[in-house]
């Protein structure tokens, strides 16, 4: 497991989301991929992922 700071994780999630949107995948697909890619990082990290998606 990689150690993330709040800012790093939040920025990475935003970049991945924008990347999937730029590929004309749609917001639902982008969110699903983020959930899959950033699943089970840790308790606090999972909360950050949920907030970023929200």
């Amino acid at each position: 497991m990689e150690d993330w700071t709040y800012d790093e994780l939040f920025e990475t999630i935003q970049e991945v989301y924008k990347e999937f949107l730029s590929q004309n995948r749609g917001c639902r697909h982008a969110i699903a991929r983020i959930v899959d890619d950033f699943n089970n990082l840790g308790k606090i990290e999972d909360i950050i992922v949920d907030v970023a998606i929200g």
Side-chain angles (χ1 to χ4, degrees), residues 6 8-9 11 13-14 17-18 20-21 23 27 31 33 35-36 38-40 46-47 51:
Y6 170 81
E8 289 174 337
L9 183 56
E11 288 175 13
I13 291 169
Q14 288 179 340
Y17 180 75
K18 289 176 184 177
F20 281 117
L21 286 181
Q23 297 173 359
C27 62
I31 291 170
R33 287 298 306 262
V35 170
D36 187 52
F38 294 94
N39 191 22
N40 294 324
D46 287 347
I47 293 170
V51 168

Side-chain angles (χ1 to χ4, degrees), residues 15-45:
E15 289 173 8
V16 171
Y17 180 75
K18 289 176 184 177
E19 180 182 326
F20 281 117
L21 286 181
S22 70
Q23 297 173 359
N24 295 325
R25 302 264 190 200
C27 62
R28 287 184 176 186
H29 186 265
I31 291 170
R33 287 298 306 262
I34 289 171
V35 170
D36 187 52
D37 290 349
F38 294 94
N39 191 22
N40 294 324
L41 295 177
K43 289 182 181 181
I44 300 300
E45 289 84 355

Side-chain angles (χ1 to χ4, degrees), residues 2-12 44-45 48:
E2 185 175 337
D3 291 330
W4 296 88
T5 67
Y6 170 81
D7 292 329
E8 289 174 337
L9 183 56
F10 205 82
E11 288 175 13
T12 302
I44 300 300
E45 289 84 355
I48 295 170

